[in-house]
PDB file of all heavy atoms in Angstrom:
ATOM      1  N   LEU A  96     118.415 -34.737 -43.674  1.00 98.00           N
ATOM      2  CA  LEU A  96     118.796 -33.390 -43.331  1.00 98.00           C
ATOM      3  C   LEU A  96     117.850 -32.791 -42.343  1.00 98.00           C
ATOM      4  O   LEU A  96     116.594 -32.873 -42.551  1.00 98.00           O
ATOM      5  CB  LEU A  96     118.851 -32.482 -44.535  1.00 98.00           C
ATOM      6  CG  LEU A  96     119.125 -31.001 -44.354  1.00 98.00           C
ATOM      7  CD1 LEU A  96     120.512 -30.817 -43.792  1.00 98.00           C
ATOM      8  CD2 LEU A  96     118.921 -30.218 -45.606  1.00 98.00           C
ATOM      9  N   VAL A  97     118.253 -32.241 -41.272  1.00 98.00           N
ATOM     10  CA  VAL A  97     117.493 -31.585 -40.270  1.00 98.00           C
ATOM     11  C   VAL A  97     117.547 -30.068 -40.391  1.00 98.00           C
ATOM     12  O   VAL A  97     116.472 -29.444 -40.450  1.00 98.00           O
ATOM     13  CB  VAL A  97     117.999 -31.991 -38.833  1.00 98.00           C
ATOM     14  CG1 VAL A  97     117.150 -31.221 -37.744  1.00 98.00           C
ATOM     15  CG2 VAL A  97     117.807 -33.445 -38.589  1.00 98.00           C
ATOM     16  N   ALA A  98     118.694 -29.564 -40.465  1.00 98.00           N
ATOM     17  CA  ALA A  98     118.882 -28.086 -40.619  1.00 98.00           C
ATOM     18  C   ALA A  98     120.205 -27.807 -41.299  1.00 98.00           C
ATOM     19  O   ALA A  98     121.175 -28.575 -41.196  1.00 98.00           O
ATOM     20  CB  ALA A  98     118.819 -27.379 -39.280  1.00 98.00           C
ATOM     21  N   ARG A  99     120.302 -26.682 -41.932  1.00 98.00           N
ATOM     22  CA  ARG A  99     121.485 -26.279 -42.714  1.00 98.00           C
ATOM     23  C   ARG A  99     121.661 -24.760 -42.524  1.00 98.00           C
ATOM     24  O   ARG A  99     120.704 -24.037 -42.555  1.00 98.00           O
ATOM     25  CB  ARG A  99     121.380 -26.660 -44.181  1.00 98.00           C
ATOM     26  CG  ARG A  99     122.540 -26.218 -45.054  1.00 98.00           C
ATOM     27  CD  ARG A  99     122.319 -26.730 -46.467  1.00 98.00           C
ATOM     28  NE  ARG A  99     123.262 -26.197 -47.428  1.00 98.00           N
ATOM     29  CZ  ARG A  99     124.492 -26.671 -47.640  1.00 98.00           C
ATOM     30  NH1 ARG A  99     124.957 -27.702 -46.945  1.00 98.00           N
ATOM     31  NH2 ARG A  99     125.261 -26.102 -48.547  1.00 98.00           N
ATOM     32  N   ILE A 100     122.960 -24.335 -42.413  1.00 97.00           N
ATOM     33  CA  ILE A 100     123.269 -22.974 -42.366  1.00 97.00           C
ATOM     34  C   ILE A 100     124.468 -22.765 -43.332  1.00 97.00           C
ATOM     35  O   ILE A 100     125.489 -23.430 -43.190  1.00 97.00           O
ATOM     36  CB  ILE A 100     123.515 -22.426 -40.957  1.00 97.00           C
ATOM     37  CG1 ILE A 100     123.812 -20.945 -41.039  1.00 97.00           C
ATOM     38  CG2 ILE A 100     124.642 -23.184 -40.313  1.00 97.00           C
ATOM     39  CD1 ILE A 100     123.716 -20.265 -39.636  1.00 97.00           C
ATOM     40  N   THR A 101     124.340 -21.833 -44.246  1.00 97.00           N
ATOM     41  CA  THR A 101     125.401 -21.679 -45.243  1.00 97.00           C
ATOM     42  C   THR A 101     126.487 -20.771 -44.669  1.00 97.00           C
ATOM     43  O   THR A 101     126.322 -20.134 -43.573  1.00 97.00           O
ATOM     44  CB  THR A 101     124.839 -21.046 -46.538  1.00 97.00           C
ATOM     45  OG1 THR A 101     124.427 -19.680 -46.318  1.00 97.00           O
ATOM     46  CG2 THR A 101     123.638 -21.794 -47.065  1.00 97.00           C
ATOM     47  N   SER A 102     127.566 -20.686 -45.410  1.00 94.00           N
ATOM     48  CA  SER A 102     128.605 -19.709 -45.016  1.00 94.00           C
ATOM     49  C   SER A 102     128.165 -18.307 -44.954  1.00 94.00           C
ATOM     50  O   SER A 102     128.667 -17.518 -44.253  1.00 94.00           O
ATOM     51  CB  SER A 102     129.833 -19.845 -45.992  1.00 94.00           C
ATOM     52  OG  SER A 102     129.424 -19.534 -47.367  1.00 94.00           O
ATOM     53  N   GLY A 103     127.093 -17.998 -45.745  1.00 94.00           N
ATOM     54  CA  GLY A 103     126.574 -16.683 -45.698  1.00 94.00           C
ATOM     55  C   GLY A 103     125.499 -16.423 -44.641  1.00 94.00           C
ATOM     56  O   GLY A 103     125.043 -15.333 -44.494  1.00 94.00           O
ATOM     57  N   GLY A 104     125.184 -17.505 -43.936  1.00 95.00           N
ATOM     58  CA  GLY A 104     124.218 -17.356 -42.858  1.00 95.00           C
ATOM     59  C   GLY A 104     122.771 -17.685 -43.106  1.00 95.00           C
ATOM     60  O   GLY A 104     121.984 -17.642 -42.172  1.00 95.00           O
ATOM     61  N   SER A 105     122.439 -18.081 -44.327  1.00 97.00           N
ATOM     62  CA  SER A 105     121.082 -18.446 -44.641  1.00 97.00           C
ATOM     63  C   SER A 105     120.782 -19.842 -44.048  1.00 97.00           C
ATOM     64  O   SER A 105     121.695 -20.709 -43.980  1.00 97.00           O
ATOM     65  CB  SER A 105     120.793 -18.405 -46.087  1.00 97.00           C
ATOM     66  OG  SER A 105     121.610 -19.323 -46.806  1.00 97.00           O
ATOM     67  N   THR A 106     119.542 -20.107 -43.695  1.00 98.00           N
ATOM     68  CA  THR A 106     119.209 -21.363 -43.103  1.00 98.00           C
ATOM     69  C   THR A 106     117.992 -21.996 -43.752  1.00 98.00           C
ATOM     70  O   THR A 106     117.207 -21.308 -44.434  1.00 98.00           O
ATOM     71  CB  THR A 106     118.824 -21.172 -41.569  1.00 98.00           C
ATOM     72  OG1 THR A 106     117.688 -20.261 -41.482  1.00 98.00           O
ATOM     73  CG2 THR A 106     120.010 -20.577 -40.826  1.00 98.00           C
ATOM     74  N   ASP A 107     117.905 -23.318 -43.603  1.00 98.00           N
ATOM     75  CA  ASP A 107     116.707 -24.006 -43.975  1.00 98.00           C
ATOM     76  C   ASP A 107     116.577 -25.219 -43.140  1.00 98.00           C
ATOM     77  O   ASP A 107     117.527 -25.713 -42.514  1.00 98.00           O
ATOM     78  CB  ASP A 107     116.654 -24.358 -45.472  1.00 98.00           C
ATOM     79  CG  ASP A 107     117.737 -25.327 -45.903  1.00 98.00           C
ATOM     80  OD1 ASP A 107     118.795 -25.387 -45.279  1.00 98.00           O
ATOM     81  OD2 ASP A 107     117.462 -26.098 -46.865  1.00 98.00           O
ATOM     82  N   TYR A 108     115.265 -25.731 -42.984  1.00 98.00           N
ATOM     83  CA  TYR A 108     114.963 -26.787 -42.039  1.00 98.00           C
ATOM     84  C   TYR A 108     114.116 -27.771 -42.650  1.00 98.00           C
ATOM     85  O   TYR A 108     113.328 -27.508 -43.565  1.00 98.00           O
ATOM     86  CB  TYR A 108     114.239 -26.168 -40.840  1.00 98.00           C
ATOM     87  CG  TYR A 108     115.040 -25.181 -40.071  1.00 98.00           C
ATOM     88  CD1 TYR A 108     115.020 -23.819 -40.403  1.00 98.00           C
ATOM     89  CD2 TYR A 108     115.822 -25.580 -38.940  1.00 98.00           C
ATOM     90  CE1 TYR A 108     115.722 -22.866 -39.677  1.00 98.00           C
ATOM     91  CE2 TYR A 108     116.543 -24.630 -38.259  1.00 98.00           C
ATOM     92  CZ  TYR A 108     116.540 -23.276 -38.637  1.00 98.00           C
ATOM     93  OH  TYR A 108     117.204 -22.353 -37.916  1.00 98.00           O
ATOM     94  N   ALA A 109     114.147 -29.002 -42.169  1.00 98.00           N
ATOM     95  CA  ALA A 109     113.162 -29.983 -42.535  1.00 98.00           C
ATOM     96  C   ALA A 109     111.848 -29.576 -41.999  1.00 98.00           C
ATOM     97  O   ALA A 109     111.720 -28.937 -40.924  1.00 98.00           O
ATOM     98  CB  ALA A 109     113.566 -31.349 -41.888  1.00 98.00           C
ATOM     99  N   ASP A 110     110.791 -29.944 -42.764  1.00 98.00           N
ATOM    100  CA  ASP A 110     109.408 -29.540 -42.344  1.00 98.00           C
ATOM    101  C   ASP A 110     109.051 -30.032 -40.969  1.00 98.00           C
ATOM    102  O   ASP A 110     108.363 -29.378 -40.186  1.00 98.00           O
ATOM    103  CB  ASP A 110     108.398 -30.023 -43.350  1.00 98.00           C
ATOM    104  CG  ASP A 110     108.461 -29.226 -44.640  1.00 98.00           C
ATOM    105  OD1 ASP A 110     109.035 -28.112 -44.670  1.00 98.00           O
ATOM    106  OD2 ASP A 110     107.897 -29.698 -45.623  1.00 98.00           O
ATOM    107  N   SER A 111     109.610 -31.207 -40.622  1.00 98.00           N
ATOM    108  CA  SER A 111     109.259 -31.842 -39.402  1.00 98.00           C
ATOM    109  C   SER A 111     109.812 -31.138 -38.129  1.00 98.00           C
ATOM    110  O   SER A 111     109.277 -31.329 -37.036  1.00 98.00           O
ATOM    111  CB  SER A 111     109.801 -33.269 -39.357  1.00 98.00           C
ATOM    112  OG  SER A 111     111.176 -33.366 -39.537  1.00 98.00           O
ATOM    113  N   VAL A 112     110.776 -30.215 -38.325  1.00 98.00           N
ATOM    114  CA  VAL A 112     111.425 -29.589 -37.207  1.00 98.00           C
ATOM    115  C   VAL A 112     111.258 -28.054 -37.240  1.00 98.00           C
ATOM    116  O   VAL A 112     111.589 -27.394 -36.315  1.00 98.00           O
ATOM    117  CB  VAL A 112     112.956 -29.883 -37.069  1.00 98.00           C
ATOM    118  CG1 VAL A 112     113.132 -31.411 -37.061  1.00 98.00           C
ATOM    119  CG2 VAL A 112     113.712 -29.279 -38.214  1.00 98.00           C
ATOM    120  N   LYS A 113     110.693 -27.587 -38.355  1.00 98.00           N
ATOM    121  CA  LYS A 113     110.565 -26.079 -38.525  1.00 98.00           C
ATOM    122  C   LYS A 113     109.722 -25.560 -37.386  1.00 98.00           C
ATOM    123  O   LYS A 113     108.614 -26.070 -37.080  1.00 98.00           O
ATOM    124  CB  LYS A 113     109.946 -25.806 -39.865  1.00 98.00           C
ATOM    125  CG  LYS A 113     109.948 -24.321 -40.230  1.00 98.00           C
ATOM    126  CD  LYS A 113     109.393 -24.068 -41.599  1.00 98.00           C
ATOM    127  CE  LYS A 113     109.448 -22.621 -41.966  1.00 98.00           C
ATOM    128  NZ  LYS A 113     108.925 -22.355 -43.316  1.00 98.00           N
ATOM    129  N   GLY A 114     110.190 -24.457 -36.823  1.00 98.00           N
ATOM    130  CA  GLY A 114     109.497 -23.818 -35.695  1.00 98.00           C
ATOM    131  C   GLY A 114     109.905 -24.360 -34.338  1.00 98.00           C
ATOM    132  O   GLY A 114     109.579 -23.753 -33.321  1.00 98.00           O
ATOM    133  N   ARG A 115     110.600 -25.473 -34.307  1.00 98.00           N
ATOM    134  CA  ARG A 115     111.014 -26.129 -33.078  1.00 98.00           C
ATOM    135  C   ARG A 115     112.499 -26.064 -32.944  1.00 98.00           C
ATOM    136  O   ARG A 115     113.064 -25.986 -31.776  1.00 98.00           O
ATOM    137  CB  ARG A 115     110.538 -27.519 -32.958  1.00 98.00           C
ATOM    138  CG  ARG A 115     109.016 -27.667 -32.970  1.00 98.00           C
ATOM    139  CD  ARG A 115     108.555 -29.125 -32.633  1.00 98.00           C
ATOM    140  NE  ARG A 115     109.063 -30.031 -33.657  1.00 98.00           N
ATOM    141  CZ  ARG A 115     109.854 -31.069 -33.401  1.00 98.00           C
ATOM    142  NH1 ARG A 115     110.303 -31.265 -32.183  1.00 98.00           N
ATOM    143  NH2 ARG A 115     110.206 -31.866 -34.336  1.00 98.00           N
ATOM    144  N   PHE A 116     113.286 -26.206 -34.049  1.00 98.00           N
ATOM    145  CA  PHE A 116     114.719 -26.248 -34.023  1.00 98.00           C
ATOM    146  C   PHE A 116     115.272 -24.981 -34.605  1.00 98.00           C
ATOM    147  O   PHE A 116     114.710 -24.392 -35.518  1.00 98.00           O
ATOM    148  CB  PHE A 116     115.243 -27.486 -34.845  1.00 98.00           C
ATOM    149  CG  PHE A 116     114.977 -28.824 -34.251  1.00 98.00           C
ATOM    150  CD1 PHE A 116     114.106 -29.004 -33.186  1.00 98.00           C
ATOM    151  CD2 PHE A 116     115.599 -29.910 -34.806  1.00 98.00           C
ATOM    152  CE1 PHE A 116     113.882 -30.265 -32.669  1.00 98.00           C
ATOM    153  CE2 PHE A 116     115.353 -31.193 -34.296  1.00 98.00           C
ATOM    154  CZ  PHE A 116     114.467 -31.385 -33.178  1.00 98.00           C
ATOM    155  N   THR A 117     116.424 -24.582 -34.075  1.00 98.00           N
ATOM    156  CA  THR A 117     117.146 -23.407 -34.649  1.00 98.00           C
ATOM    157  C   THR A 117     118.605 -23.782 -34.797  1.00 98.00           C
ATOM    158  O   THR A 117     119.245 -24.183 -33.813  1.00 98.00           O
ATOM    159  CB  THR A 117     116.988 -22.177 -33.760  1.00 98.00           C
ATOM    160  OG1 THR A 117     115.620 -21.859 -33.585  1.00 98.00           O
ATOM    161  CG2 THR A 117     117.708 -20.981 -34.317  1.00 98.00           C
ATOM    162  N   ILE A 118     119.091 -23.547 -35.998  1.00 98.00           N
ATOM    163  CA  ILE A 118     120.591 -23.793 -36.264  1.00 98.00           C
ATOM    164  C   ILE A 118     121.260 -22.396 -36.226  1.00 98.00           C
ATOM    165  O   ILE A 118     120.739 -21.421 -36.709  1.00 98.00           O
ATOM    166  CB  ILE A 118     120.822 -24.490 -37.597  1.00 98.00           C
ATOM    167  CG1 ILE A 118     122.293 -24.855 -37.752  1.00 98.00           C
ATOM    168  CG2 ILE A 118     120.323 -23.658 -38.750  1.00 98.00           C
ATOM    169  CD1 ILE A 118     122.636 -25.791 -38.874  1.00 98.00           C
ATOM    170  N   SER A 119     122.423 -22.353 -35.642  1.00 97.00           N
ATOM    171  CA  SER A 119     123.178 -21.125 -35.557  1.00 97.00           C
ATOM    172  C   SER A 119     124.653 -21.475 -35.586  1.00 97.00           C
ATOM    173  O   SER A 119     125.072 -22.661 -35.392  1.00 97.00           O
ATOM    174  CB  SER A 119     122.816 -20.313 -34.314  1.00 97.00           C
ATOM    175  OG  SER A 119     123.102 -21.021 -33.163  1.00 97.00           O
ATOM    176  N   ARG A 120     125.482 -20.460 -35.851  1.00 96.00           N
ATOM    177  CA  ARG A 120     126.909 -20.688 -35.866  1.00 96.00           C
ATOM    178  C   ARG A 120     127.626 -19.540 -35.217  1.00 96.00           C
ATOM    179  O   ARG A 120     127.219 -18.386 -35.248  1.00 96.00           O
ATOM    180  CB  ARG A 120     127.394 -20.894 -37.319  1.00 96.00           C
ATOM    181  CG  ARG A 120     127.181 -19.661 -38.183  1.00 96.00           C
ATOM    182  CD  ARG A 120     127.445 -20.095 -39.672  1.00 96.00           C
ATOM    183  NE  ARG A 120     128.739 -20.550 -39.934  1.00 96.00           N
ATOM    184  CZ  ARG A 120     129.079 -21.300 -40.972  1.00 96.00           C
ATOM    185  NH1 ARG A 120     128.209 -21.660 -41.891  1.00 96.00           N
ATOM    186  NH2 ARG A 120     130.337 -21.723 -41.119  1.00 96.00           N
ATOM    187  N   ASP A 121     128.770 -19.911 -34.608  1.00 93.00           N
ATOM    188  CA  ASP A 121     129.664 -18.923 -33.981  1.00 93.00           C
ATOM    189  C   ASP A 121     131.066 -19.177 -34.626  1.00 93.00           C
ATOM    190  O   ASP A 121     131.737 -20.048 -34.154  1.00 93.00           O
ATOM    191  CB  ASP A 121     129.720 -19.073 -32.503  1.00 93.00           C
ATOM    192  CG  ASP A 121     130.532 -17.934 -31.786  1.00 93.00           C
ATOM    193  OD1 ASP A 121     131.434 -17.417 -32.446  1.00 93.00           O
ATOM    194  OD2 ASP A 121     130.295 -17.663 -30.650  1.00 93.00           O
ATOM    195  N   ASN A 122     131.353 -18.398 -35.643  1.00 89.00           N
ATOM    196  CA  ASN A 122     132.589 -18.640 -36.385  1.00 89.00           C
ATOM    197  C   ASN A 122     133.807 -18.414 -35.512  1.00 89.00           C
ATOM    198  O   ASN A 122     134.833 -19.075 -35.733  1.00 89.00           O
ATOM    199  CB  ASN A 122     132.596 -17.752 -37.637  1.00 89.00           C
ATOM    200  CG  ASN A 122     131.591 -18.182 -38.653  1.00 89.00           C
ATOM    201  OD1 ASN A 122     131.219 -19.370 -38.727  1.00 89.00           O
ATOM    202  ND2 ASN A 122     131.127 -17.241 -39.444  1.00 89.00           N
ATOM    203  N   ALA A 123     133.754 -17.475 -34.605  1.00 90.00           N
ATOM    204  CA  ALA A 123     134.896 -17.188 -33.764  1.00 90.00           C
ATOM    205  C   ALA A 123     135.189 -18.388 -32.895  1.00 90.00           C
ATOM    206  O   ALA A 123     136.375 -18.680 -32.564  1.00 90.00           O
ATOM    207  CB  ALA A 123     134.614 -16.030 -32.875  1.00 90.00           C
ATOM    208  N   LYS A 124     134.175 -19.139 -32.439  1.00 92.00           N
ATOM    209  CA  LYS A 124     134.312 -20.341 -31.658  1.00 92.00           C
ATOM    210  C   LYS A 124     134.429 -21.591 -32.555  1.00 92.00           C
ATOM    211  O   LYS A 124     134.635 -22.683 -32.009  1.00 92.00           O
ATOM    212  CB  LYS A 124     133.187 -20.513 -30.694  1.00 92.00           C
ATOM    213  CG  LYS A 124     133.159 -19.478 -29.588  1.00 92.00           C
ATOM    214  CD  LYS A 124     132.040 -19.799 -28.574  1.00 92.00           C
ATOM    215  CE  LYS A 124     132.099 -18.920 -27.365  1.00 92.00           C
ATOM    216  NZ  LYS A 124     131.970 -17.503 -27.652  1.00 92.00           N
ATOM    217  N   LYS A 125     134.324 -21.425 -33.858  1.00 93.00           N
ATOM    218  CA  LYS A 125     134.344 -22.547 -34.820  1.00 93.00           C
ATOM    219  C   LYS A 125     133.358 -23.619 -34.371  1.00 93.00           C
ATOM    220  O   LYS A 125     133.680 -24.821 -34.376  1.00 93.00           O
ATOM    221  CB  LYS A 125     135.745 -23.106 -34.894  1.00 93.00           C
ATOM    222  CG  LYS A 125     136.752 -22.109 -35.530  1.00 93.00           C
ATOM    223  CD  LYS A 125     138.131 -22.751 -35.777  1.00 93.00           C
ATOM    224  CE  LYS A 125     139.023 -21.757 -36.467  1.00 93.00           C
ATOM    225  NZ  LYS A 125     140.313 -22.352 -36.770  1.00 93.00           N
ATOM    226  N   THR A 126     132.146 -23.207 -34.061  1.00 95.00           N
ATOM    227  CA  THR A 126     131.135 -24.082 -33.469  1.00 95.00           C
ATOM    228  C   THR A 126     129.801 -23.789 -34.174  1.00 95.00           C
ATOM    229  O   THR A 126     129.486 -22.609 -34.363  1.00 95.00           O
ATOM    230  CB  THR A 126     130.965 -23.962 -31.987  1.00 95.00           C
ATOM    231  OG1 THR A 126     132.249 -24.217 -31.388  1.00 95.00           O
ATOM    232  CG2 THR A 126     129.975 -24.929 -31.481  1.00 95.00           C
ATOM    233  N   VAL A 127     129.032 -24.802 -34.443  1.00 96.00           N
ATOM    234  CA  VAL A 127     127.687 -24.714 -34.942  1.00 96.00           C
ATOM    235  C   VAL A 127     126.772 -25.427 -33.878  1.00 96.00           C
ATOM    236  O   VAL A 127     127.116 -26.398 -33.299  1.00 96.00           O
ATOM    237  CB  VAL A 127     127.489 -25.324 -36.364  1.00 96.00           C
ATOM    238  CG1 VAL A 127     127.831 -26.839 -36.332  1.00 96.00           C
ATOM    239  CG2 VAL A 127     126.100 -25.064 -36.901  1.00 96.00           C
ATOM    240  N   TYR A 128     125.591 -24.801 -33.673  1.00 98.00           N
ATOM    241  CA  TYR A 128     124.667 -25.277 -32.672  1.00 98.00           C
ATOM    242  C   TYR A 128     123.366 -25.695 -33.326  1.00 98.00           C
ATOM    243  O   TYR A 128     122.925 -25.182 -34.391  1.00 98.00           O
ATOM    244  CB  TYR A 128     124.393 -24.190 -31.666  1.00 98.00           C
ATOM    245  CG  TYR A 128     125.636 -23.633 -31.010  1.00 98.00           C
ATOM    246  CD1 TYR A 128     126.217 -22.465 -31.480  1.00 98.00           C
ATOM    247  CD2 TYR A 128     126.188 -24.225 -29.890  1.00 98.00           C
ATOM    248  CE1 TYR A 128     127.290 -21.924 -30.867  1.00 98.00           C
ATOM    249  CE2 TYR A 128     127.312 -23.740 -29.280  1.00 98.00           C
ATOM    250  CZ  TYR A 128     127.864 -22.586 -29.776  1.00 98.00           C
ATOM    251  OH  TYR A 128     129.005 -22.066 -29.164  1.00 98.00           O
ATOM    252  N   LEU A 129     122.688 -26.561 -32.644  1.00 98.00           N
ATOM    253  CA  LEU A 129     121.292 -26.915 -32.990  1.00 98.00           C
ATOM    254  C   LEU A 129     120.490 -26.819 -31.658  1.00 98.00           C
ATOM    255  O   LEU A 129     120.631 -27.733 -30.802  1.00 98.00           O
ATOM    256  CB  LEU A 129     121.199 -28.323 -33.599  1.00 98.00           C
ATOM    257  CG  LEU A 129     119.767 -28.734 -34.085  1.00 98.00           C
ATOM    258  CD1 LEU A 129     119.324 -27.826 -35.249  1.00 98.00           C
ATOM    259  CD2 LEU A 129     119.677 -30.183 -34.462  1.00 98.00           C
ATOM    260  N   GLN A 130     119.687 -25.819 -31.535  1.00 98.00           N
ATOM    261  CA  GLN A 130     118.774 -25.645 -30.413  1.00 98.00           C
ATOM    262  C   GLN A 130     117.558 -26.368 -30.668  1.00 98.00           C
ATOM    263  O   GLN A 130     116.793 -26.038 -31.674  1.00 98.00           O
ATOM    264  CB  GLN A 130     118.555 -24.166 -30.125  1.00 98.00           C
ATOM    265  CG  GLN A 130     117.626 -23.937 -28.953  1.00 98.00           C
ATOM    266  CD  GLN A 130     118.204 -24.394 -27.624  1.00 98.00           C
ATOM    267  OE1 GLN A 130     119.337 -24.055 -27.300  1.00 98.00           O
ATOM    268  NE2 GLN A 130     117.454 -25.188 -26.872  1.00 98.00           N
TER     269      GLN A 130
END
């Protein structure tokens, strides 16, 4: 697991990527992103 975002919008990350990766979602576009 690298990153997770729940249906409620909460997130968590693997320690190895924390601070470098950001997960987000755009429900209108039905798309999730990993920056």
Side-chain angles (χ1 to χ4, degrees):
L96 174 67
V97 176
R99 176 176 171 83
I100 183 166
T101 69
S102 60
S105 63
T106 61
D107 66 332
Y108 300 88
D110 288 343
S111 60
V112 308
K113 188 176 182 180
R115 300 188 297 119
F116 290 10
T117 301
I118 188 170
S119 62
R120 63 193 299 160
D121 186 334
N122 291 330
K124 292 183 171 63
K125 296 186 176 181
T126 302
V127 62
Y128 305 95
L129 184 66
Q130 178 65 51

